[in-house]
Amino acid sequence: MDRDMTVTRCEDHVGIVQLNRPKVYNALSFDMLDELARALEALDADDSVHVILIHGDDRAFSAGADIKDMADSDAVSWYLNDPLSVWDRIPRIRKPIVAAIAGHALGGGCELAMMCDVIVASKTARFGQPEIKIGIIPGAGGTQRLIRAVGKAVAMDMILSGRVLTADEALAAGLVSRVVEPDRYLEEAMNLAREMATKLSPIALRVAKEAVLKAHDVGLSEGLREERVLFHLLTATEDHTEGMKAFIEKREAHYAGK
Ligand code: CAA
């Protein structure tokens, strides 16, 4: 097994995970995905971490699932071993995840990006679900999350033709929220993550993520009910008292995360 396929560090309450298989454009082998999921789970459980940042390198966020891992598999072993279930652990992370993306974000790389909550892209970023070109379809949520992110027209275009979007096209389509110059994407993403992690209530951040993601799963009236319950929950936190008091006293809030 490669060593250190992901590298984790913490800074200013931000848990930072770097995808680290640069020779293969950070292709995600199953071992690497397990390592990534473990790293994210550890950061999710660490009270000193309020926000998570995932990045690759300047050439690639990730070129997707490791095709060499999948080339010899057969349906029975896929069914029995369910290796794709490793992906299910990533959307279970409760803290907000910022993705900093440059270069290729293809296949599982694009799907991983869509499991993150805010995407900051370099102008060099390229997003695609090219699985159709190797005789498969997206297997880590791409057919479901992409249509929710960009709508049917663009999702079908990408998934049926393998079309790759530029960063600006991804911004126009609603797949990413910020596009910046290539030398600034990591800094911009880190600044954003740091601002969230040091200035905002960590518990409100988690609850906000939960509430927004609910919209993917339920209808409007159920989603609104859920939002109301989560809103009420936050009024029971010390952070809510502190946030409102700080506003009235015209000072910075100091959140305890409870
Ligand atoms: N899996 C395994 N290895 C990969 C890889 C991947 N997804 N992507 C790139 N690599 C490897 C190449 O095999 C090559 O390795 P060697 O040097 O050992 O030959 C190395 O990375 C460099 O790749 P290229 O020579 O192809 O570099 P390039 O600059 O010409 O092209 C690229 C770059 C456009 C990213 C091209 O490599 C490519 O198209 N990669 C595959 C992208 C893809 O199809 N992704 C979807 C994977 S399937 C998936 O993700 C399923 C799912 O939903 C879970």
Side-chain angles (χ1 to χ4, degrees):
M1 196 200 287
D2 293 346
R3 291 177 63 82
D4 299 331
M5 292 175 285
T6 61
V7 181
T8 305
R9 65 192 174 93
C10 290
E11 201 181 303
D12 297 329
H13 300 293
V14 180
I16 304 164
V17 183
Q18 177 170 15
L19 306 174
N20 187 38
R21 288 182 85 202
K23 286 189 185 146
V24 288
Y25 290 107
N26 296 320
L28 298 158
S29 63
F30 287 119
D31 287 337
M32 181 175 178
L33 278 166
D34 181 55
E35 200 179 301
L36 172 64
R38 278 170 200 265
L40 295 173
E41 285 158 358
L43 294 172
D44 212 28
D46 180 342
D47 287 341
S48 72
V49 171
H50 300 171
V51 173
I52 296 169
L53 174 76
I54 304 181
H55 66 98
D57 55 51
D58 292 349
R59 293 194 320 153
F61 180 64
S62 168
D66 190 322
I67 296 168
K68 289 165 196 162
D69 248 13
M70 301 187 294
D72 299 326
S73 43
D74 67 274
V76 175
S77 66
W78 278 86
Y79 177 77
L80 292 177
N81 301 322
D82 197 13
L84 288 177
S85 63
V86 66
W87 285 99
D88 302 341
R89 291 158 61 190
I90 298 169
R92 287 204 285 266
I93 301 301
R94 297 175 72 197
K95 291 175 184 167
I97 306 178
V98 175
I101 298 187
H104 303 292
L106 302 175
C110 187
E111 290 167 301
L112 175 61
M114 289 190 284
M115 291 178 199
C116 299
D117 304 305
V118 184
I119 303 177
V120 177
S122 156
K123 275 193 184 299
T124 64
R126 296 291 179 266
F127 297 86
Q129 297 289 164
E131 289 88 344
I132 201 76
K133 293 185 174 173
I134 52 170
I136 54 172
I137 63 169
T143 62
Q144 304 304 299
R145 288 198 178 89
L146 192 60
I147 192 168
R148 285 166 168 80
V150 303
K152 181 185 167 193
V154 178
M156 281 293 192
D157 193 353
M158 292 171 71
I159 290 170
L160 297 186
S161 76
R163 176 182 169 195
V164 172
L165 299 187
T166 64
D168 286 328
E169 286 169 337
L171 181 67
L175 184 56
V176 309
S177 56
R178 304 181 189 205
V179 175
V180 298
E181 292 302 321
D183 58 347
R184 289 200 38 243
Y185 76 99
L186 198 48
E187 185 191 342
E188 173 95 1
M190 187 57 202
N191 286 344
L192 170 66
R194 188 187 293 112
E195 282 273 306
M196 291 162 65
T198 56
K199 302 225 166 111
L200 304 178
S201 158
I203 187 166
L205 282 170
R206 272 200 216 189
V207 170
K209 170 171 175 164
E210 183 180 342
V212 174
L213 288 179
K214 206 73 194 169
H216 276 177
D217 293 333
V218 301
L220 181 61
S221 50
E222 196 182 334
L224 291 172
R225 243 190 339 270
E226 186 80 17
E227 181 192 80
R228 187 69 48 84
V229 170
L230 291 170
F231 185 94
H232 289 164
L233 169 74
L234 283 178
T235 64
T237 62
E238 287 176 23
D239 282 3
H240 139 269
T241 311
E242 166 63 7
M244 295 197 174
K245 205 159 168 263
F247 175 81
I248 291 163
E249 293 170 2
K250 300 190 187 301
R251 61 169 174 83
E252 247 189 55
H254 301 287
Y255 293 113
K258 46 190 181 166

